[in-house]
Amino acid sequence: FLLWLGWFGFNGGSVLSADPALVSYVLVTTSLAAAAGVIGAMCTSWIAQKKPDLTMVLNGCLAGLVGITAGADVVSVSASIIIGLVAGIVVVFSVLMLDRIKIDDPVGAISVHLVCGIWGTLAAGIWGTGKSFMTQLIGVGAYAVFCALSAAVIFLVLKMTIGLRVSREEEIGGLDVGEHGMEAYPDF
Protein backbone atom coordinates (compact mmCIF):
# COMPACT_ATOMS: atom_id res chain seq x y z
CA PHE A 1 0.00 0.00 0.00
CA LEU A 2 2.97 2.28 0.55
CA LEU A 3 4.02 1.65 -3.04
CA TRP A 4 0.48 2.38 -4.23
CA LEU A 5 0.65 5.76 -2.50
CA GLY A 6 4.16 6.38 -3.80
CA TRP A 7 3.07 5.56 -7.33
CA PHE A 8 0.88 8.67 -7.27
CA GLY A 9 4.04 10.75 -7.04
CA PHE A 10 5.76 8.61 -9.64
CA ASN A 11 3.01 8.62 -12.29
CA GLY A 12 1.66 12.04 -11.35
CA GLY A 13 5.14 13.55 -11.57
CA SER A 14 5.78 11.83 -14.89
CA VAL A 15 3.26 14.14 -16.51
CA LEU A 16 5.94 16.86 -16.17
CA SER A 17 3.36 19.57 -15.76
CA ALA A 18 1.51 21.29 -12.99
CA ASP A 19 -1.76 21.00 -14.88
CA PRO A 20 -4.24 19.91 -12.18
CA ALA A 21 -6.61 18.29 -14.68
CA LEU A 22 -3.95 16.10 -16.30
CA VAL A 23 -2.28 15.16 -13.02
CA SER A 24 -5.67 14.30 -11.50
CA TYR A 25 -6.50 12.18 -14.51
CA VAL A 26 -3.24 10.24 -14.11
CA LEU A 27 -3.96 9.70 -10.41
CA VAL A 28 -7.38 8.26 -11.26
CA THR A 29 -6.09 5.88 -13.96
CA THR A 30 -3.25 4.82 -11.66
CA SER A 31 -5.53 4.05 -8.72
CA LEU A 32 -8.13 2.22 -10.80
CA ALA A 33 -5.48 0.05 -12.46
CA ALA A 34 -4.05 -0.90 -9.06
CA ALA A 35 -7.50 -1.75 -7.70
CA ALA A 36 -8.32 -3.79 -10.80
CA GLY A 37 -4.98 -5.59 -10.47
CA VAL A 38 -5.90 -6.59 -6.93
CA ILE A 39 -9.24 -7.98 -8.08
CA GLY A 40 -7.73 -9.75 -11.10
CA ALA A 41 -5.00 -11.41 -9.03
CA MET A 42 -7.35 -12.37 -6.21
CA CYS A 43 -9.88 -14.03 -8.51
CA THR A 44 -7.20 -15.71 -10.61
CA SER A 45 -5.29 -17.07 -7.61
CA TRP A 46 -8.57 -18.26 -6.09
CA ILE A 47 -9.40 -20.18 -9.26
CA ALA A 48 -5.88 -21.43 -10.05
CA GLN A 49 -4.77 -22.25 -6.49
CA LYS A 50 -8.16 -22.94 -4.89
CA LYS A 51 -7.59 -20.09 -2.40
CA PRO A 52 -7.14 -16.32 -2.51
CA ASP A 53 -3.37 -15.97 -2.03
CA LEU A 54 -2.44 -12.71 -0.25
CA THR A 55 1.02 -12.57 -1.84
CA MET A 56 -0.58 -12.86 -5.27
CA VAL A 57 -3.10 -10.16 -4.38
CA LEU A 58 -0.31 -7.80 -3.29
CA ASN A 59 1.63 -8.56 -6.46
CA GLY A 60 -1.61 -7.93 -8.36
CA CYS A 61 -1.67 -4.41 -6.94
CA LEU A 62 1.91 -3.84 -8.08
CA ALA A 63 1.15 -5.46 -11.43
CA GLY A 64 -1.70 -3.01 -12.00
CA LEU A 65 0.57 -0.11 -11.08
CA VAL A 66 3.36 -1.29 -13.37
CA GLY A 67 0.88 -2.05 -16.14
CA ILE A 68 -0.63 1.45 -16.15
CA THR A 69 2.60 3.41 -15.86
CA ALA A 70 3.38 3.55 -19.60
CA GLY A 71 -0.04 4.88 -20.53
CA ALA A 72 -1.47 6.52 -17.42
CA ASP A 73 -1.90 9.85 -19.19
CA VAL A 74 -3.05 8.57 -22.61
CA VAL A 75 -5.54 5.76 -21.93
CA SER A 76 -9.19 6.11 -20.98
CA VAL A 77 -10.44 5.44 -17.47
CA SER A 78 -12.17 2.24 -18.62
CA ALA A 79 -8.99 1.11 -20.40
CA SER A 80 -7.01 1.64 -17.20
CA ILE A 81 -9.31 -0.80 -15.43
CA ILE A 82 -8.85 -3.38 -18.19
CA ILE A 83 -5.06 -2.88 -18.15
CA GLY A 84 -4.90 -3.36 -14.39
CA LEU A 85 -7.26 -6.34 -14.43
CA VAL A 86 -5.26 -8.11 -17.12
CA ALA A 87 -1.99 -7.30 -15.31
CA GLY A 88 -3.42 -8.88 -12.14
CA ILE A 89 -4.34 -12.02 -14.06
CA VAL A 90 -1.03 -12.16 -15.94
CA VAL A 91 1.09 -11.77 -12.80
CA VAL A 92 -0.46 -14.83 -11.16
CA PHE A 93 0.17 -17.07 -14.16
CA SER A 94 3.66 -15.65 -14.60
CA VAL A 95 4.61 -16.34 -10.96
CA LEU A 96 3.24 -19.88 -11.20
CA MET A 97 5.09 -20.50 -14.48
CA LEU A 98 8.41 -19.19 -13.15
CA ASP A 99 8.01 -21.37 -10.06
CA ARG A 100 7.25 -24.37 -12.26
CA ILE A 101 10.39 -23.88 -14.39
CA LYS A 102 12.40 -23.27 -11.20
CA ILE A 103 13.47 -19.67 -11.78
CA ASP A 104 14.39 -18.27 -8.37
CA ASP A 105 12.22 -15.16 -7.94
CA PRO A 106 10.95 -15.25 -4.34
CA VAL A 107 9.05 -11.94 -4.46
CA GLY A 108 7.70 -12.14 -8.02
CA ALA A 109 9.78 -9.21 -9.28
CA ILE A 110 10.25 -10.66 -12.75
CA SER A 111 6.53 -11.26 -13.11
CA VAL A 112 5.54 -7.87 -11.75
CA HIS A 113 8.10 -5.65 -13.41
CA LEU A 114 9.21 -7.45 -16.57
CA VAL A 115 6.10 -9.33 -17.64
CA CYS A 116 3.54 -6.71 -16.56
CA GLY A 117 5.83 -3.92 -17.74
CA ILE A 118 5.80 -5.44 -21.22
CA TRP A 119 2.02 -5.83 -20.99
CA GLY A 120 1.58 -2.20 -19.94
CA THR A 121 3.86 -0.92 -22.69
CA LEU A 122 1.91 -2.86 -25.31
CA ALA A 123 -1.42 -1.84 -23.74
CA ALA A 124 -0.44 1.82 -24.15
CA GLY A 125 -0.20 1.09 -27.87
CA ILE A 126 -3.58 -0.63 -27.91
CA TRP A 127 -5.61 1.97 -25.96
CA GLY A 128 -3.41 5.06 -25.86
CA THR A 129 -4.32 8.13 -27.85
CA GLY A 130 -1.49 9.01 -30.18
CA LYS A 131 0.26 5.67 -29.58
CA SER A 132 0.89 2.84 -32.01
CA PHE A 133 0.92 -0.82 -31.02
CA MET A 134 3.64 -1.56 -33.58
CA THR A 135 5.82 1.26 -32.25
CA GLN A 136 5.38 -0.07 -28.72
CA LEU A 137 6.14 -3.62 -29.89
CA ILE A 138 9.31 -2.49 -31.67
CA GLY A 139 10.33 -0.62 -28.51
CA VAL A 140 9.80 -3.70 -26.35
CA GLY A 141 11.83 -5.79 -28.82
CA ALA A 142 14.66 -3.25 -28.95
CA TYR A 143 14.88 -3.11 -25.16
CA ALA A 144 14.80 -6.92 -24.99
CA VAL A 145 17.73 -7.27 -27.38
CA PHE A 146 19.76 -4.53 -25.68
CA CYS A 147 19.11 -5.88 -22.16
CA ALA A 148 19.76 -9.52 -23.11
CA LEU A 149 23.08 -8.67 -24.75
CA SER A 150 24.15 -6.31 -21.95
CA ALA A 151 23.19 -8.79 -19.24
CA ALA A 152 25.00 -11.62 -21.03
CA VAL A 153 28.21 -9.57 -21.17
CA ILE A 154 27.93 -8.41 -17.55
CA PHE A 155 27.18 -11.89 -16.21
CA LEU A 156 29.98 -13.44 -18.28
CA VAL A 157 32.48 -10.94 -16.87
CA LEU A 158 31.20 -11.56 -13.32
CA LYS A 159 31.34 -15.34 -13.79
CA MET A 160 34.92 -15.15 -15.06
CA THR A 161 36.08 -12.81 -12.27
CA ILE A 162 34.32 -13.06 -8.90
CA GLY A 163 31.71 -15.72 -9.69
CA LEU A 164 27.95 -15.60 -9.71
CA ARG A 165 27.15 -17.61 -6.60
CA VAL A 166 28.39 -17.96 -3.08
CA SER A 167 29.61 -21.35 -1.87
CA ARG A 168 27.03 -24.00 -0.98
CA GLU A 169 28.06 -23.75 2.69
CA GLU A 170 27.57 -19.97 2.71
CA GLU A 171 24.21 -20.29 0.99
CA ILE A 172 23.00 -22.87 3.53
CA GLY A 173 24.40 -20.90 6.48
CA GLY A 174 22.87 -17.70 5.22
CA LEU A 175 24.41 -14.61 3.70
CA ASP A 176 23.84 -12.64 6.90
CA VAL A 177 26.50 -14.78 8.58
CA GLY A 178 28.74 -15.05 5.51
CA GLU A 179 28.62 -11.38 4.50
CA HIS A 180 28.07 -9.62 7.84
CA GLY A 181 29.25 -12.10 10.46
CA MET A 182 25.94 -12.19 12.31
CA GLU A 183 22.44 -13.62 12.09
CA ALA A 184 19.66 -11.25 11.11
CA TYR A 185 17.12 -12.85 13.46
CA PRO A 186 19.07 -14.85 16.05
CA ASP A 187 16.09 -15.45 18.36
CA PHE A 188 13.63 -16.39 15.66
Side-chain angles (χ1 to χ4, degrees):
F1 291 114
L2 288 173
L3 287 171
W4 191 337
L5 180 63
W7 228 275
F8 289 140
F10 182 69
N11 278 2
S14 295
V15 175
L16 298 177
S17 116
D19 178 7
L22 187 54
V23 172
S24 297
Y25 186 81
V26 167
L27 300 181
V28 168
T29 59
T30 298
S31 192
L32 288 174
V38 165
I39 292 168
M42 182 184 67
C43 293
T44 304
S45 71
W46 208 331
I47 292 166
Q49 298 177 297
K50 309 297 184 241
K51 65 183 181 335
D53 183 336
L54 179 61
T55 61
M56 292 291 194
V57 171
L58 295 174
N59 274 340
C61 174
L62 294 175
L65 291 166
V66 168
I68 196 60
T69 295
D73 61 336
V74 295
V75 301
S76 69
V77 170
S78 58
S80 72
I81 295 169
I82 295 167
I83 292 167
L85 186 70
V86 171
I89 294 167
V90 166
V91 77
V92 171
F93 288 119
S94 178
V95 166
L96 295 174
M97 183 194 70
L98 291 177
D99 285 348
R100 190 170 294 125
I101 61 175
K102 299 194 186 304
I103 291 181
D104 190 18
D105 185 21
V107 296
I110 294 169
S111 299
V112 168
H113 295 283
L114 177 64
V115 175
C116 291
I118 290 170
W119 157 246
T121 301
L122 296 176
I126 296 169
W127 286 287
T129 55
K131 300 282 184 181
S132 159
F133 177 78
M134 284 309 296
T135 301
Q136 299 298 96
L137 184 61
I138 291 167
V140 166
Y143 272 99
V145 169
F146 175 79
C147 291
L149 292 175
S150 298
V153 169
I154 291 167
F155 282 118
L156 182 63
V157 169
L158 285 172
K159 185 176 182 178
M160 292 171 29
T161 56
I162 62 172
L164 292 175
R165 296 193 66 106
V166 297
S167 69
R168 178 160 172 73
E169 294 78 27
E170 189 173 3
E171 188 171 351
I172 290 170
L175 291 179
D176 292 324
V177 173
E179 299 278 324
H180 306 290
M182 60 187 289
E183 290 184 42
Y185 305 102
D187 297 325
F188 183 64

